[in-house]
Amino acid sequence: MNVPSRARVVVVGGGVIGSSVAYHLGHMGWRDVVLLERDKLTSGTTWHAAGLMVTFGSTSETSTEMRKYTRDLYARLEAETGQSTGLKQCGFIEVTADPDRLEEYRRVSSFNRYCGIDVQEISPRQVKELFPIAHTDDLLAGFYVKDDGRADPVGVGMALAKGAKQQGVTVLEGVPCIGITKKGGAVTGVVTPHGTIECEYVVNCSGMWARQLGQQHGVNIPNQAAEHYYLITERIPGIDPNWPVLEDPASYGYFREEVGGLMIGLFEPKCAPWNVGGIPDDFSFGEIQPDWDRMGGYVETAMARVPISMNVGVRKFFCGPESFTPDLQPCVGEAPELRNYFVAAGLNSIGILTGGGMGRVIAHWITTGRPDVDITGFNIDRLHRYQANPEYRRTRTVESLGMVYKCHYPTYVMQTARDAKRGPLHDRLAAKNAYFKDVSGWEGPDWYAPPGVEPRVEKIGWGRQNWFPYWAAEHRAAREGVIAMDMSFMSKFLVEGRDAGALLDWISANSVDGPTNQITYTQWLDDAGKLQADLTVSKLDDDRFWVVASDTCHRHVETWMKRHIGDKHAFVADMTGAYGQINVQGPRSRELLQSITTADLSNEKFPFRHVQEIDIGFARVMCVRITYLGELGYELYIPVEQAVHVYDRIVAAGDAFGLTHAGLKALASLRMEKGYRDYGHDIDNTDTVLEAGLGFAVDLKKPRGFLGKEAVLAQKAKGPLKKRLVQILVKDPEPLMFHAEVVRRNDRPCGYIRAASYGHTLGGAVGLAMIETGDAIDPKYLEASTFDVEIAGKRYPAIASLRPLFDPDNLKIKG
Ligand SMILES: Cc1cc2nc3c(=O)[nH]c(=O)nc-3n(C[C@H](O)[C@H](O)[C@H](O)COP(=O)(O)OP(=O)(O)OC[C@H]3O[C@@H](n4cnc5c(N)ncnc54)[C@H](O)[C@@H]3O)c2cc1C
């Protein structure tokens, strides 16, 4: 076997994803690339995929773009390579008989249209015309994309690999990666049975093997294979291969022609993880023995959508493994544990239909040093090491596969593998009637039921649910009185050392190394001036800093700091689990805290942005005067062993001030009224700090400069911004926004809501949208424009503002 001793990039895994990465690297001019496949190309999961090509259905701009790109790529690959992808653009219809799903699909379809997908809502009669053997009497509607359809997964994989070879990539079958070499925290080579290939980059695209391969070298990839089914019936007279693919998630099934019969694919609500202990090394072109007992009921339900399928025999009941992730997003990007080690695995059953786009994104990321799409939702560094634990994977995966076909209620909370992490106040808050949700594994209070009422969701839906009034009351209490909010899940880091200040000041756009005992809100930028983090830095002493970021950015922030240390004298310690965090916020927060501490909390002695240790009970607490809700307020950081003690003191004193417990729903609505940003939700790695409206937090004058400064200056020099994040308030108090609602200016789409909540004080749904109209955007421009938002197919007049609609002058915060 002729295995080269050097390559710039080694891609491990010759499924659709690895072949696509290699293909795109080649096309981007990186030809010194080796693709290693353990056995034969496509022999893992790719060979047996059903090949559905669907652009409809995602409210992620990145995913939708990837789907569109992939479909277009497969359409042109045969002309380029001579190898057919079998793409058949026979159309795709998603049907529903259920009003909640109808609402979901209407919301999704308007967003998908905004992204350039030609999706039409069609009547049950039209569904019947397009797919005559479907039972349509009970349907409410179908959503039809005429250019979608199906592809041949083996053809796709082979065409990508052939295209890669044509670009000069070396494709080696029968050569496994059995290890890697590394030096100084970066990968340096790939070990094979035929020798080591020295390289600059490795891309782990080994599908369901990715976790165990990564584990060998300390890289955390918590994906898990699960049984995944389809069946193929005997021939059905009259069936037409040109009929579209039909999907009915409520019946657990999708349907398409297959050699004169019907293929019925299944996504059952509770699935079966496969080989939690490890995937066999020699599993190639393999099948799993189907479990009829478990699947029989789902098959019957699915067949009822196409009744004729019940009258013909089943030719093949197929079960193959596909890998799933804890949150149904793929694991993509550079591993936090190892520089230049990239991963693209855990495709959650859409590897064929996103494979082209995925390869393009990874190749762009490697060749340019940064991704060109929002990767915050699927970046591998969002995942934690505990999620690779076998019991966690076994438990969570049962829910993951079924999520594909669930109605995607935005307030749904994953139910499996709960209680993985408890904050120190958990039991106290449970006794206060908290309804908990999974916050990066922590049990975080979402809202509180009143005394005597069980905290449960009575009926999930798109409208106001039973907890809406509880939420409104918590929101009001923060605006008018005082609330206590458990935020112990926040990521907290102690950064120490002689150069800790220099490190943090260099990576922060704001000045964070000024006076001690001060907290600073800042962004971290990359050298292109794009956002990498949005957080606070408190200077506790000349050589001691406290960095706090949201839970989802935990490992990203930690990695970013560590990778910029270089030879500086600075040390990062993760204090997340060591400190509880209670936020006491609201106009009466000072009175309440003053009643339990000897520290002087007056505005003069303890102004906004001040940090100091205060005494509460027998504890010493780090108290920070800052707010994420737009009120006078304090964040208390308490060693876990004293968190309950401090909490009890606050609650005991709180009665006299009407203290209310508030949860994450209130956090979302309060911060959204104030237009405060949340990285990974309304701002991301594709935005600049100026576009995000955060220029006020950039210190262009600080003597040592900062990472990304040149890019900020360059953007400033270009003149007024044509792309800006604006706050959107719907004038009608009734509709609710969540995410992905399309915003129009003067009747033309100009952006979409990236994150939203309900403004209980402003009196309507409120969100943040990045808008782009081709014109310079400033307050006058917004005033002279007419805005509306499309929510579930209806358009509602809205206000757009660059200044926060709630307390634009910060009078409440600084009082
Ligand atoms: C029943 C079923 C139906 C599906 N239908 C669809 C569909 O309709 N549409 C869709 O988009 N997706 C579908 N999927 C999902 C799709 O098949 C996967 O998402 C996709 O194939 C994953 O591709 P991959 O490249 O990540 O993994 P794989 O295809 O498994 O490729 C990984 C490769 O890595 C190789 N490898 C492993 N370890 C090593 C090593 N150490 N060294 C070298 N090589 C190694 C393996 O041999 C394998 O070839 C379906 C899946 C199933 C099971």
Side-chain angles (χ1 to χ4, degrees):
M1 178 66 67
N2 201 2
V3 173
S5 59
R6 252 211 65 79
R8 196 161 187 194
V9 187
V10 177
V11 180
V12 179
V16 64
I17 301 300
S19 294
S20 180
V21 170
Y23 170 90
H24 285 91
L25 283 168
H27 268 277
M28 288 177 198
W30 281 35
R31 300 196 168 91
D32 185 9
V33 174
V34 173
L35 171 65
L36 289 187
E37 165 53 44
R38 167 196 68 119
D39 190 356
K40 294 268 182 261
L41 294 172
T42 78
S43 62
T45 297
T46 297
W47 73 277
H48 60 234
L52 265 52
M53 293 296 300
V54 184
T55 53
F56 170 75
S58 172
T59 53
S60 148
E61 186 177 348
T62 302
S63 180
T64 308
E65 289 294 330
M66 287 202 302
R67 289 163 184 239
K68 215 166 42 147
Y69 172 85
T70 302
R71 192 183 66 189
D72 295 347
L73 174 68
Y74 295 174
R76 59 174 200 267
L77 263 185
E78 183 170 358
E80 179 187 329
T81 65
Q83 165 71 50
S84 168
T85 59
L87 179 70
K88 192 172 172 64
Q89 293 179 281
C90 50
F92 166 86
I93 316 171
E94 184 109 332
V95 295
T96 179
D98 156 24
D100 276 10
R101 287 184 192 262
L102 182 62
E103 163 128 20
E104 176 186 346
Y105 300 155
R106 283 188 172 150
R107 285 174 177 264
V108 176
S109 57
S110 70
F111 175 71
N112 285 175
R113 274 192 291 275
Y114 167 79
C115 296
I117 308 293
D118 179 17
V119 48
Q120 308 294 334
E121 181 174 337
I122 60 174
S123 66
R125 192 176 50 77
Q126 289 169 299
V127 174
K128 188 87 184 167
E129 282 164 15
L130 288 162
F131 203 96
I133 56 175
H135 167 69
T136 56
D137 293 357
D138 59 337
L139 292 183
L140 296 173
F143 291 79
Y144 177 48
V145 185
K146 71 174 182 353
D147 294 332
D148 283 353
R150 56 199 253 202
D152 161 26
V154 173
V156 165
M158 291 312 212
L160 287 165
K162 194 167 174 199
K165 279 190 215 162
Q166 286 171 345
Q167 295 302 315
V169 169
T170 304
V171 177
L172 297 175
E173 291 181 286
V175 182
C177 159
I178 54 171
I180 57 145
T181 56
K182 48 184 172 176
K183 195 172 175 198
V187 70
T188 55
V190 167
V191 184
T192 80
H194 311 281
T196 297
I197 310 173
E198 274 179 43
C199 63
E200 292 169 38
Y201 296 89
V202 169
V203 195
N204 179 344
C205 302
S206 61
M208 62 186 156
W209 289 269
R211 182 186 52 76
Q212 62 209 55
L213 183 61
Q215 193 171 306
Q216 282 182 24
H217 25 268
V219 172
N220 182 54
I221 310 168
N223 63 344
Q224 173 58 49
E227 294 179 5
H228 194 19
Y229 288 86
Y230 53 71
L231 61 82
I232 298 166
T233 69
E234 299 289 358
R235 297 183 87 80
I236 294 178
I239 202 164
D240 187 336
N242 295 315
W243 287 350
V245 176
L246 185 81
E247 188 167 63
D248 178 20
S251 301
Y252 317 119
Y254 60 81
F255 313 86
R256 69 163 177 78
E257 184 274 342
E258 179 74 18
V259 287
L262 201 59
M263 172 188 275
I264 303 181
L266 297 155
F267 282 89
E268 68 277 20
K270 284 188 183 163
C271 82
W274 184 70
N275 274 331
V276 172
I279 308 298
D281 284 341
D282 58 355
F283 186 84
S284 284
F285 298 110
E287 296 186 29
I288 305 172
Q289 185 64 32
D291 183 346
W292 269 109
D293 289 346
R294 191 172 71 76
M295 295 301 293
Y298 304 121
V299 171
E300 276 174 30
T301 307
M303 283 182 159
R305 177 56 64 208
V306 185
I308 196 170
S309 62
M310 292 188 272
N311 305 332
V312 291
V314 171
R315 184 140 46 100
K316 173 86 188 161
F317 191 33
F318 179 85
C319 179
E322 162 65 339
S323 54
F324 290 84
T325 60
D327 58 1
L328 219 66
Q329 297 298 323
C331 306
V332 182
E334 193 182 22
E337 298 90 351
L338 199 55
R339 275 201 326 278
N340 293 352
Y341 184 103
F342 281 74
V343 179
L347 270 297
N348 300 294
S349 82
I350 56 169
I352 308 300
L353 66 90
T354 54
M358 184 62 77
R360 192 200 68 75
V361 167
I362 290 278
H364 180 95
W365 195 338
I366 291 173
T367 54
T368 66
R370 73 179 65 85
D372 59 347
V373 295
D374 169 17
I375 49 91
T376 52
F378 63 51
N379 198 336
I380 187 164
D381 65 15
R382 77 190 185 285
L383 297 161
H384 293 263
R385 297 188 74 78
Y386 82 96
Q387 292 174 303
N389 165 306
E391 190 174 338
Y392 178 88
R393 283 185 282 114
R394 182 181 293 113
T395 314
R396 173 52 66 89
T397 306
V398 167
E399 189 176 10
S400 303
L401 179 142
M403 290 296 294
V404 176
Y405 270 11
K406 283 242 168 78
C407 183
H408 299 104
Y409 297 110
T411 54
Y412 179 78
V413 173
M414 296 290 270
Q415 297 297 314
T416 51
R418 293 292 300 275
D419 229 1
K421 302 182 197 169
R422 283 184 172 201
L425 308 177
H426 178 275
D427 293 356
R428 291 286 200 272
L429 304 177
K432 290 281 177 196
N433 267 355
Y435 176 82
F436 290 100
K437 73 177 204 179
D438 182 337
V439 186
S440 298
W442 296 81
E443 291 295 310
D446 202 21
W447 45 268
Y448 292 81
V453 177
E454 192 194 338
R456 66 183 188 93
V457 176
E458 277 167 15
K459 189 181 177 317
I460 195 162
W462 292 91
R464 287 159 171 70
Q465 297 168 45
N466 60 307
W467 44 267
F468 193 89
Y470 316 151
W471 170 26
E474 290 169 27
H475 182 109
R476 254 195 323 275
R479 292 274 180 254
E480 293 163 14
V482 54
I483 56 123
M485 193 176 268
D486 174 34
M487 300 282 286
S488 299
F489 54 80
M490 292 292 281
S491 315
K492 315 169 198 85
F493 302 96
L494 186 63
V495 187
E496 293 185 284
R498 278 193 308 278
D499 301 325
L503 164 72
L504 292 170
D505 209 42
W506 168 245
I507 59 176
S508 298
N510 212 341
S511 178
V512 301
D513 193 14
T516 47
N517 296 325
Q518 193 173 68
I519 183 170
T520 303
Y521 171 55
T522 189
Q523 285 71 45
W524 293 352
L525 314 181
D526 59 22
D527 53 4
K530 306 276 178 164
L531 296 173
Q532 286 294 332
D534 176 80
L535 41 71
T536 59
V537 177
S538 295
K539 181 169 178 177
L540 307 178
D541 209 336
D542 284 340
D543 57 358
R544 225 152 51 87
F545 293 77
W546 185 250
V547 175
V548 178
S550 65
D551 58 293
T552 47
C553 302
H554 190 131
R555 301 190 75 206
H556 189 72
V557 163
E558 185 175 14
T559 310
W560 194 258
M561 278 189 282
K562 288 184 172 168
R563 291 207 173 150
H564 285 91
I565 289 177
D567 55 8
K568 290 188 191 69
H569 185 262
F571 308 91
V572 176
D574 181 1
M575 306 302 268
T576 305
Y579 278 75
Q581 181 181 341
I582 308 175
N583 292 0
V584 181
Q585 300 269 325
R588 300 199 72 187
S589 56
R590 180 189 285 134
E591 282 173 80
L592 165 56
L593 283 185
Q594 189 64 83
S595 75
I596 52 171
T597 183
T598 51
D600 183 348
L601 301 185
S602 67
N603 215 13
E604 298 68 41
K605 287 281 160 37
F606 200 173
F608 181 61
R609 288 185 58 199
H610 193 65
V611 182
Q612 73 179 62
E613 259 192 356
I614 66 170
D615 294 325
I616 295 178
F618 304 130
R620 281 257 144 121
V621 172
M622 189 201 307
C623 181
V624 183
R625 187 166 158 204
I626 196 78
T627 182
Y628 188 55
L629 315 180
E631 296 294 335
L632 169 70
Y634 305 84
E635 296 183 352
L636 305 177
Y637 296 91
I638 316 151
V640 273
E641 64 276 18
Q642 292 199 297
V644 171
H645 173 71
V646 170
Y647 167 84
D648 285 347
R649 292 291 173 118
I650 294 169
V651 170
D655 275 352
F657 303 92
L659 177 71
T660 300
H661 282 67
L664 291 167
K665 280 279 174 298
L667 180 80
S669 56
L670 291 155
R671 73 103 182 168
M672 196 51 94
E673 287 189 328
K674 191 75 175 101
Y676 286 152
R677 280 45 171 165
D678 188 0
Y679 189 77
H681 295 271
D682 34 65
I683 53 175
D684 63 58
N685 61 287
T686 61
D687 305 321
T688 70
V689 71
L690 300 178
E691 291 158 356
L694 298 168
F696 70 90
V698 176
D699 184 354
L700 289 167
K701 297 208 178 76
K702 61 179 177 175
R704 290 178 291 198
F706 60 88
L707 180 58
K709 179 177 170 181
E710 300 312 316
V712 177
L713 288 173
Q715 188 170 40
K716 265 187 175 281
K718 276 195 183 158
L721 295 170
K722 295 183 173 173
K723 178 183 168 200
R724 293 187 82 168
L725 195 71
V726 297
Q727 208 182 4
I728 300 283
L729 175 67
V730 179
K731 291 182 183 169
D732 181 337
E734 195 51 34
L736 301 182
M737 295 195 296
F738 300 102
H739 163 73
E741 294 82 1
V742 175
V743 177
R744 285 185 177 76
R745 175 193 165 270
N746 296 355
D747 269 343
R748 293 170 70 106
C750 63
Y752 64 92
I753 298 288
R754 286 187 172 177
S757 185
Y758 190 81
H760 296 281
T761 308
L762 294 175
V766 61
L768 286 164
M770 186 65 82
I771 63 164
E772 213 173 347
T773 61
D775 305 318
I777 299 167
D778 61 18
K780 275 201 183 134
Y781 176 80
L782 294 183
E783 263 170 45
S785 309
T786 308
F787 285 92
D788 68 64
V789 189
E790 185 176 333
I791 303 173
K794 274 197 201 162
R795 286 168 62 175
Y796 296 88
I799 295 164
S801 177
L802 288 164
R803 297 191 80 204
L805 291 165
F806 178 77
D807 190 20
D809 296 318
N810 291 334
L811 300 176
K812 299 202 78 184
I813 294 168
K814 296 187 176 158

